[in-house]
Amino acid sequence: MRRVSLALLVAAPLLTLCTAQAASFTVGLAFDLGGRNDQGFNQAAYEGARRAVDETGGSVQTYEPKTLAEVGKGISGLADRGASVVIGIGFANNDAVSAAASGHKDTRFVTVDDLPKGDNTVGLRFREQEGSFLAGYLAGKQSATGRLGFIGGVDIPVINRFRAGFVAGAKFACPSCKVTVAFVDTSSQGFNNAKKATQIAAGMMKSGVDVIYAAAGASGQGLVEQVRTQPCLKASALPAGIKFRSNAFSGVPRSAAEQKVCAGDSRPTFYIGVDVNQNGLGDFDKNPTTLNHGLTSVLKRVDNAVYSVVKEVAEGRPWRAGDRSFGLSNGGIALAVDQYNRALIPDTMQANLDTVEKLIVSGTLKVPAK
């Protein structure tokens, strides 16, 4: 009994110390425009941070800007309130991250999508062009018109990596295909303007574009809404010089409502989602067995990247400052295939995508980043 009691007495302070450490560990997340529930990388970052603290203990504090002028304003405040690691989501937070890091040397700082300055900082960056190449390849092979579209939030390097990969993949699959490119805005507001994205998508469809890829944050919801409004292109409405070249989805069942709207010689329209799995947003009739309009989603595993760096800090592992790169080879980038789009990607096409992915990972196939 005395041995057991002594063991308990020794263990009790350790248990109290571990509990106190878990309770004091805080992750500070400063979102970009669009907020925590943007169904994009803000949401993914939050999910990654939550997964980490659920395993290690601690809590997550957030700052959510309502306007462009407020982006970055919460970085220092999160550090001042005692966050062990502060994460700025998006390049627009990077200047604030670098500034706060210089004044809070004992705090770890992270920027998603850019490289901050300081020995206590890390940049989580992604090879978006790799997954976008696969999406472009798929779109080029499956398009009925040979006309594709890309909508970027803002004309900046990270978004141009999405664009460059998509265009290259489309051309690799279909040299005669044409890709129309447009950007929502010249400021970060381009990631939070769904109405403008809807207008851009409508214009693209009018020109014969049947598959559109958006890398535009919350603005991408505007593309989904346009596809919902116009779930098909009709041969009679195609511009001069454009004709249907294939009908890759003729064997996929369609809802009665869609059959009515798309009666006659028509082909379905599709969006390609980004950051998180947005395939299900194209299930307009709430029935995955009928044709859905999310061709695929390019997964940018911000959740995995944030999870890994938060766990490092929480577990007291040695800090590795600087740039960290994520792509196809290390689980940072992938294409989403699930119940919503499996019928849109036949086995032969999936085999082709797997082959292309292996060529990219091996370095045999070089994907442009700009």
Side-chain angles (χ1 to χ4, degrees):
M1 284 296 293
R2 291 189 65 184
R3 289 179 181 175
V4 172
S5 299
L6 181 61
L8 289 174
L9 287 172
V10 171
L14 294 177
L15 180 61
T16 302
L17 177 60
C18 290
T19 303
Q21 287 176 336
S24 64
F25 180 76
T26 302
V27 180
L29 282 181
F31 296 118
D32 204 343
L33 286 179
R36 189 174 85 183
N37 299 314
D38 68 342
Q39 296 183 347
F41 70 33
N42 281 316
Q43 180 177 325
Y46 180 77
E47 291 172 354
R50 281 282 359 149
R51 177 156 50 105
V53 298
D54 285 347
E55 293 181 8
T56 63
S59 61
V60 178
Q61 294 183 0
T62 63
Y63 171 80
E64 193 162 338
K66 301 302 182 184
T67 66
L68 179 60
E70 295 176 353
V71 174
K73 297 290 187 182
I75 299 289
S76 289
L78 290 168
D80 290 340
R81 289 196 295 274
S84 303
V85 55
V86 177
I87 304 173
I89 314 302
F91 74 95
N93 278 295
N94 196 50
D95 288 345
V97 167
S98 296
S102 67
H104 299 81
K105 292 297 185 180
D106 293 331
T107 304
R108 304 307 188 204
F109 289 86
V110 180
T111 300
V112 176
D113 272 352
D114 212 337
L115 184 61
K117 298 176 182 178
D119 293 337
N120 55 337
T121 71
V122 156
L124 304 179
R125 300 201 284 186
F126 297 79
R127 301 189 294 278
E128 295 90 354
Q129 67 273 16
E130 295 180 353
S132 298
F133 188 97
L134 295 178
Y137 180 88
L138 176 63
K141 289 292 188 183
Q142 302 293 72
S143 172
T145 63
R147 298 295 185 271
L148 311 173
F150 175 84
I151 300 176
V154 184
D155 186 0
I156 54 175
V158 61
I159 299 302
N160 277 307
R161 290 197 291 272
F162 284 106
R163 174 198 55 76
F166 183 70
V167 173
K171 292 292 186 179
F172 185 75
C174 171
S176 64
C177 283
K178 294 184 178 180
V179 183
T180 300
V181 175
F183 296 93
V184 178
D185 206 329
T186 57
S187 74
S188 290
Q189 190 61 44
F191 297 109
N192 197 36
N193 191 342
K195 183 177 180 180
K196 180 67 177 295
T198 297
Q199 295 169 351
I200 293 172
M204 288 182 175
M205 289 182 179
K206 190 174 181 179
S207 70
V209 171
D210 64 338
V211 183
I212 304 175
Y213 177 32
S219 296
Q221 299 306 304
L223 167 59
V224 176
E225 286 306 310
Q226 176 56 31
V227 173
R228 182 191 295 273
T229 300
Q230 190 177 347
C232 58
L233 298 181
K234 295 194 173 186
S236 59
L238 292 175
I242 298 180
K243 296 180 179 180
F244 291 137
R245 61 177 193 166
S246 63
N247 193 3
F249 310 104
S250 59
V252 183
R254 304 178 78 166
S255 68
E258 187 166 320
Q259 290 182 51
K260 182 177 180 180
V261 172
C262 298
D265 190 9
S266 69
R267 301 290 187 275
T269 57
F270 297 94
Y271 68 86
I272 295 176
V274 76
D275 293 336
V276 297
N277 189 347
Q278 298 174 334
N279 294 351
L281 299 178
D283 182 16
F284 302 145
D285 64 347
K286 306 302 180 184
N287 181 2
T289 65
T290 57
L291 186 141
N292 297 306
H293 293 267
L295 184 59
T296 188
S297 296
V298 176
L299 303 181
K300 182 173 175 177
R301 298 306 303 266
V302 175
D303 58 332
N304 286 347
V306 167
Y307 167 83
S308 66
V309 74
V310 169
K311 280 208 73 174
E312 284 182 18
V313 178
E315 294 173 353
R317 282 183 265 164
W319 179 250
R320 295 180 295 116
D323 198 3
R324 302 191 191 181
S325 179
F326 299 86
L328 291 175
S329 63
N330 59 355
I333 297 289
L335 280 193
V337 179
D338 57 16
Q339 62 176 329
Y340 296 107
N341 70 334
R342 201 173 305 280
L344 307 177
I345 306 176
D347 291 343
T348 52
M349 180 59 66
Q350 184 61 61
N352 289 341
L353 288 168
D354 291 343
T355 297
V356 173
E357 179 173 345
K358 290 176 182 177
L359 291 173
I360 294 172
V361 171
S362 69
T364 303
L365 183 54
K366 305 294 184 181
V367 181
K370 59 182 179 180

